[in-house]
Amino acid sequence: MLLLPNERQIVTANDDKIILTNQLIQLNDKSSGNSYQITMFLENISSFEKRYISYPFLLILSVLAILFGAATYINGAGGDREESPFIIVGGIILLIIWFFTKKHIIKIKSDGGSSLDFVISKMSDELVEDFLYKVSVAKLNRVANLNILAEVS
């Protein structure tokens, strides 16, 4: 990333896909064979959203299928007993799907522009909180500097 005049990098996150400087925040990512870049000046940030997405119905279905399959195997007779391993395997597959569809997402919204959305990978909750804190401090400093420049003009 080329830095603007008087710009300095503060921190990177999410495997260097997100770059925070004292003037802007930038996301560089690839998705489904497409690459994209979103840049947002810090003074335009209006809000942060940290969201955990999960599909609890998959977890409930998987547990029910495993329990039903186990109960059918223990209490069943004949054909019911033969089908129970398939039900248990189906429940395990649903459990695996549930596990791999869980996501932590951060959305940084701008005043009237697009939002900067990214899935948090390899970042603990403490690192996410620290990153959002650094974005907040950088925004406050940027707005303060712009206000000083406006007063001088």
Side-chain angles (χ1 to χ4, degrees):
M1 175 179 150
L2 295 174
L3 298 177
L4 299 170
N6 299 322
E7 184 180 22
R8 62 180 170 75
Q9 185 172 310
I10 297 172
V11 69
T12 62
N14 225 24
D15 295 329
D16 296 335
K17 293 178 184 174
I18 302 144
I19 301 166
L20 174 65
T21 72
N22 62 327
Q23 294 184 22
L24 54 85
I25 186 166
Q26 185 175 80
L27 170 67
N28 299 299
D29 206 357
K30 295 178 182 174
S31 174
S32 302
N34 299 316
S35 64
Y36 59 94
Q37 177 182 37
I38 300 171
T39 303
M40 184 183 308
F41 281 96
L42 296 176
E43 66 269 18
N44 295 328
I45 293 175
S46 61
S47 66
F48 303 114
E49 180 180 343
K50 184 172 78 167
R51 180 182 293 189
Y52 180 76
I53 295 177
S54 177
Y55 300 99
F57 70 91
L58 288 174
L59 178 61
I60 293 167
L61 283 176
S62 70
V63 170
L64 289 175
I66 292 169
L67 291 175
F68 180 73
T72 304
Y73 184 77
I74 292 170
N75 298 324
D80 289 342
R81 195 170 220 190
E82 292 172 2
E83 294 172 3
S84 61
F86 297 108
I87 297 170
I88 292 171
V89 169
I92 291 170
I93 290 171
L94 286 173
L95 186 65
I96 292 169
I97 292 170
W98 170 78
F99 181 76
F100 283 107
T101 58
K102 297 187 310 180
K103 298 178 198 173
H104 279 112
I105 295 175
I106 290 182
K107 181 180 281 193
I108 301 175
K109 297 181 182 179
S110 69
D111 298 332
S114 63
S115 63
L116 195 141
D117 306 344
F118 56 95
V119 176
I120 303 166
S121 62
K122 302 175 189 171
M123 288 178 70
S124 66
D125 287 339
E126 294 82 24
L127 286 175
V128 170
E129 291 299 322
D130 183 57
F131 174 75
L132 292 177
Y133 174 77
K134 287 177 180 174
V135 173
S136 297
V137 169
K139 176 190 167 114
L140 289 174
N141 290 336
R142 172 78 172 156
V143 170
N145 288 338
L146 290 174
N147 287 338
I148 290 170
L149 290 174
E151 289 174 7
V152 172
S153 296

